[in-house]
Amino acid sequence: MIATAPAPLVRIEGVHKYFGDFHALKGVNLDIARGEKVVLLGASGSGKSTLCRCINRLESVSSGTIAIDGEPLPQEGKALARLRAEVGMVFQSFNLFPHYTAQQNIALAPMHVRRVPRAQAEQEARDLIHRVGLAGKEDSFPAELSGGQQQRVAIARALAMHPEIMLFDEPTSALDPEMIKEVLDVMSELAAGGMTMLVVTHEMGFARHACDRVCFMDEGQIVEQNTPDAFFTDPQTERARDFLSKILEH
Ligand SMILES: Nc1ncnc2c1ncn2[C@@H]1O[C@H](COP(=O)(O)OP(=O)(O)OP(=O)(O)O)[C@@H](O)[C@H]1O
Ligand SMILES: [Mg+2]
């Protein structure tokens, strides 16, 4: 019998992205296996956010392909809405709807995009609020929640769509130190539960302990990838060494 490796959940091949004349992604190749947790590191401007935004099609690629579960990313329309449902994304800014409660923020997309009946969507929202440690805050509005609590609602909102993969783009960068841990705890639990994750973060403890692989970006390319242990103890490129010496000083 010939053992074949399972197809990756995400396959990024030869992706280039231009913003006008500016070449932001220069031939990115990256496979992410189902259940794998990948952390994306790199200096400011290296293209981390752009790559995340291309994966869920907030940005279109200039050339190359991105496929999720073997399906190339659709350009527009219903197929794109379906794809967005498969890719959950959490940003630095929480982007909750200010005039909806926590529960309503979470239940909205399942009702409108996935056509889940209201009662079911609301029950799932309550379960998710519980899961991210916010029981009792169902009826709170975003302005009544701390930053860490709002970010946990944003994570619950993404999970409500039953995504295949979760993208996190600096989810704790806007938070005070005491709130960072509560968000990282929720992310660690998700990771332990088998979720496929691509995470951009400055939290090196999380990168080391919760992730399987580090991808280091420089000027629009992945220039180095390795296990967290190998990357942090023995970076191979000058750029990675330079990056690590700067962040580890803080
Ligand atoms: N909409 C845009 N229009 C023009 N240039 C852009 C746009 N978005 C990003 N860029 C440029 O592309 C490059 C990569 O940006 P990106 O936001 O992906 O970097 P990053 O690695 O996420 O940086 P940071 O760590 O600061 O968040 C930067 O030089 C940026 O100025
Ligand atoms: Mg960014």
Side-chain angles (χ1 to χ4, degrees), residues 43-50 53 92 169-170 200 202:
S44 179
S46 58
K48 306 176 298 291
S49 295
T50 302
R53 292 167 61 81
Q92 179 174 338
D169 191 359
E170 302 201 24
V200 181
H202 298 296

Side-chain angles (χ1 to χ4, degrees), residues 154-167:
I155 293 171
R157 182 178 57 175
L159 292 174
M161 295 296 277
H162 301 287
E164 298 252 31
I165 178 170
M166 288 280 286
L167 310 177

Side-chain angles (χ1 to χ4, degrees), residues 18-151:
Y18 287 87
F19 293 107
D21 290 338
F22 183 74
H23 199 176
L25 296 180
K26 301 175 181 165
V28 174
N29 298 300
L30 174 65
D31 281 356
I32 304 175
R34 195 176 286 279
E36 194 180 16
K37 296 100 186 70
V38 176
V39 61
L40 207 48
L41 301 180
S44 179
S46 58
K48 306 176 298 291
S49 295
T50 302
L51 183 60
C52 288
R53 292 167 61 81
C54 285
I55 294 173
N56 81 340
R57 270 300 261 109
L58 288 170
E59 296 284 357
S60 59
V61 302
S62 304
S63 65
T65 56
I66 300 179
I68 298 192
D69 223 359
E71 300 272 334
L73 293 197
Q75 290 303 305
E76 55 195 19
K78 282 217 170 96
L80 180 56
R82 231 181 2 257
L83 165 99
R84 289 249 171 81
E86 283 172 21
V87 181
M89 185 145 176
V90 174
F91 304 89
Q92 179 174 338
S93 55
F94 326 121
N95 300 317
L96 298 175
F97 295 114
H99 52 295
Y100 286 123
T101 65
Q103 180 179 306
Q104 289 168 336
N105 264 283
I106 298 166
L108 214 57
M111 279 162 49
H112 291 284
V113 180
R114 290 182 55 233
R115 305 275 165 215
V116 175
R118 175 182 295 273
Q120 185 187 333
E122 288 178 351
Q123 182 59 50
E124 284 186 12
R126 283 192 293 274
D127 292 347
L128 281 164
I129 285 173
H130 207 263
R131 187 164 151 201
V132 299
L134 290 174
K137 299 291 186 190
E138 292 79 359
D139 299 325
S140 299
F141 288 90
E144 300 169 334
L145 298 171
S146 73
Q149 291 170 336
Q150 288 184 62
Q151 190 60 301

Side-chain angles (χ1 to χ4, degrees), residues 48 91-94 151 168-177 179-180 183-184 187 200-203:
K48 306 176 298 291
F91 304 89
Q92 179 174 338
S93 55
F94 326 121
Q151 190 60 301
F168 291 89
D169 191 359
E170 302 201 24
T172 60
S173 297
L175 300 177
D176 293 336
M179 293 172 196
I180 291 177
V183 171
L184 291 177
M187 292 169 62
V200 181
T201 185
H202 298 296
E203 296 297 326

Side-chain angles (χ1 to χ4, degrees), residues 157-227:
R157 182 178 57 175
L159 292 174
M161 295 296 277
H162 301 287
E164 298 252 31
I165 178 170
M166 288 280 286
L167 310 177
F168 291 89
D169 191 359
E170 302 201 24
T172 60
S173 297
L175 300 177
D176 293 336
E178 66 269 27
M179 293 172 196
I180 291 177
K181 183 177 180 301
E182 61 196 32
V183 171
L184 291 177
D185 284 349
V186 168
M187 292 169 62
S188 297
E189 248 171 63
L190 256 187
M195 178 62 80
T196 309
M197 294 166 61
L198 179 63
V199 184
V200 181
T201 185
H202 298 296
E203 296 297 326
M204 295 303 136
F206 179 84
R208 271 192 105 127
H209 298 116
C211 296
D212 305 306
R213 182 157 49 121
V214 172
C215 290
F216 178 74
M217 287 190 74
D218 186 41
E219 296 185 358
Q221 286 178 314
I222 295 174
V223 293
E224 183 165 344
Q225 38 181 321
N226 219 328
T227 61

